[in-house]
Amino acid sequence: MSKSKTILIISGILVIIGILISFSQSETEMNSLASVQQSLTTNTSMNVSKSLDPIESKDGAYSVQISDFKDGDNINVSVIDPSGSIITTKSIIKSSFQENFTISSTGIYELKIQNAAPQDIQVLGIIGYYPQGATLLDALSIIVLIVGLSGLAIGMMYFIKNRGKSNIN
C-alpha cells in the first residue's frame, strides 16, 4: 500500500512541477509582447509601444486583429523604430494580419493603427519579439508532465490492485 502512495505523491509533485515550468514559459512569452485592444472611430488612430533590444532578439513581429471586420474596411498600419523612422507601412484589408520586422536598435518600437473604414471598428494591436522555437525548458516541461502523468496512472493501478487484494484477505 505504501508503494502506491509513494508513486502517487512523487508523480503528483512531478505534474505540479511540469505545470509550473509550462506556466513560467508562457508568462515569459507573454511579457515579450505588448498589446492594446481598443474601439476606433473613423479617422482615429491608436498606438502600441514596446521596448525592444536586438541583443535579446533581432526578430520582431506585429499583429493586427479586427473583430468586427467587414469587406471594404481599410486599416492603415505603420511600425516606427526608436529614431522615428517608419520601418513598414501596410494597408490591411482582412480581419487578421501579422508581419515580421527586424529590430535594428535598442529602444521603443511603436505600432500605429489608423481606422480608414467608414464605421467604428474593434482592433487588437500586438507588437514584440517574434516567438522563438521550442527551448530545452519547453521540452523539459513536457517530459516532466508525461512522466508525472504516467506515474499517476501506474500508482492508481497499484493502488486499485492492492486494494482488491486487501478486501479478499
Side-chain angles (χ1 to χ4, degrees), residues 109-130:
Y109 284 76
E110 189 173 351
L111 172 64
K112 184 176 183 176
I113 304 167
Q114 183 178 17
N115 180 8
Q119 72 276 343
D120 297 355
I121 56 169
Q122 187 72 25
V123 178
L124 171 64
I126 302 169
I127 189 168
Y129 295 106
Y130 185 79

Side-chain angles (χ1 to χ4, degrees), residues 11-48:
S11 299
I13 291 170
L14 286 174
V15 168
I16 291 169
I17 290 170
I19 290 170
L20 290 174
I21 293 171
S22 181
F23 176 77
S24 169
Q25 284 295 97
S26 65
E27 192 67 25
T28 301
E29 194 74 29
M30 289 306 294
N31 287 336
S32 72
L33 301 172
S35 65
V36 173
Q37 185 169 358
Q38 186 175 332
S39 181
L40 290 178
T41 57
T42 302
N43 294 324
T44 60
S45 63
M46 65 182 261
N47 296 330
V48 184

Side-chain angles (χ1 to χ4, degrees), residues 34 39 46 53 68 80 89 91 98 119 125 131 154 164 169:
S39 181
M46 65 182 261
D53 187 351
D68 49 358
I80 302 164
T89 299
S91 183
Q98 178 179 329
Q119 72 276 343
I154 292 168
N169 294 334

